[in-house]
Amino acid sequence: MKLLLRTSPDSKGRKSYTFFHSSVSKAVETCFLSDYAKRMAYVIRLADYYEFTCTDPETVTAELPLLLQQCKLYDRLVKFLRKDERGISLPPHIRYKYLKELRCTMPCSDGFMRQPLLICNFCAMRTGAFGQMFQNGNSCVICGQVVMAMGKEGFLCQRHYRFGVSDCFICKAMVFQTPRPKQGVLCHMCGILPRCAALNV
């Protein structure tokens, strides 16, 4: 194999191995990765390595989200982007890039069955539910970006709310109208389309 490999330093001076020609890479891919199930098994092994073994946070944030997306481990992807310090360090527009693919596609504009996305007062005052340092009540419920202006109120479609019952979007506890709960908001990026604010994970 050594004759087929080329080494070059990466941005941190570490050795990076690649095939010396794209035809070799294509042959290896055809031979070992043409079967979808086998390919996904390798992708999952790579994702496990970056998430649980790799010690370089920059490499993890560069590689792991895409791998989790490729092998459709969406629950792990959301947890990484919102709960893992390495994922939280990503800028909101990068988190948005991955999370928008998981967002429910049901419309929630006027005239459609919808319910306001409510956050109880206790959760609204806390931070970190969406991978952010700001209060949950003032943060986009998709990407976590703080909503200062141009925000939109968040709604849930009939698939993502219980008819006749109001639940806190974060803790799932029943929400009462007194004291008045906070309605979750969407930032200018996530609020462009009037869609349900829930994620399909």
Side-chain angles (χ1 to χ4, degrees):
M1 288 292 292
K2 188 174 182 180
L3 297 175
L4 303 177
L5 298 176
R6 174 176 59 192
T7 61
S8 57
D10 64 9
S11 60
K12 294 189 173 183
R14 300 169 300 189
K15 283 185 179 180
S16 176
Y17 293 91
T18 58
F19 291 110
F20 78 89
H21 196 276
S22 60
S23 61
V24 180
S25 176
K26 186 67 176 176
V28 170
E29 184 175 349
T30 302
C31 184
F32 295 104
L33 302 175
S34 57
D35 181 77
Y36 179 79
K38 288 182 179 179
R39 185 185 189 94
M40 288 302 102
Y42 282 116
V43 174
I44 291 172
R45 287 177 65 183
L46 280 171
D48 290 343
Y49 165 76
Y50 284 116
E51 185 169 9
F52 305 119
T53 305
C54 183
T55 57
D56 181 39
E58 290 182 23
T59 303
V60 173
T61 54
E63 301 291 342
L64 181 58
L66 182 60
L67 292 170
L68 293 174
Q69 185 183 61
Q70 286 178 354
C71 53
K72 299 179 180 176
L73 295 175
Y74 299 134
D75 187 53
R76 276 176 62 179
L77 175 60
V78 172
K79 286 180 180 176
F80 175 75
L81 295 174
R82 290 182 170 176
K83 302 300 179 185
D84 191 298
E85 290 184 6
R86 299 164 298 181
I88 292 172
S89 70
L90 288 167
H93 72 275
I94 300 295
R95 290 204 301 272
Y96 166 77
K97 181 180 77 171
Y98 291 106
L99 294 172
K100 72 175 182 178
E101 303 296 329
L102 305 179
R103 188 173 170 186
C104 177
T105 58
M106 293 291 288
C108 275
S109 54
D110 292 339
F112 287 88
M113 287 191 66
R114 65 180 186 177
Q115 179 171 295
L117 186 159
L118 299 178
I119 301 175
C120 70
N121 288 288
F122 179 72
C123 289
M125 298 297 291
R126 302 184 72 183
T127 63
F130 314 112
Q132 87 294 349
M133 65 179 71
F134 313 103
Q135 287 186 339
N136 297 325
N138 297 324
S139 302
C140 176
V141 299
I142 302 292
C143 69
Q145 183 172 206
V146 64
V147 179
M148 302 296 291
M150 299 176 63
K152 300 283 182 69
E153 293 179 325
F155 290 90
L156 298 174
C157 70
Q158 56 187 340
R159 287 169 48 198
H160 289 104
Y161 72 81
R162 291 192 295 158
F163 185 75
V165 179
S166 296
D167 295 334
C168 173
F169 186 66
I170 296 172
C171 70
K172 308 304 179 187
M174 188 176 293
V175 173
F176 300 97
Q177 295 302 314
T178 305
R180 185 176 178 84
K182 174 84 174 177
Q183 183 166 356
V185 292
L186 300 169
C187 68
H188 66 283
M189 291 189 301
C190 299
I192 291 176
L193 297 176
R195 288 163 45 191
C196 175
L199 300 180
N200 289 318
V201 292

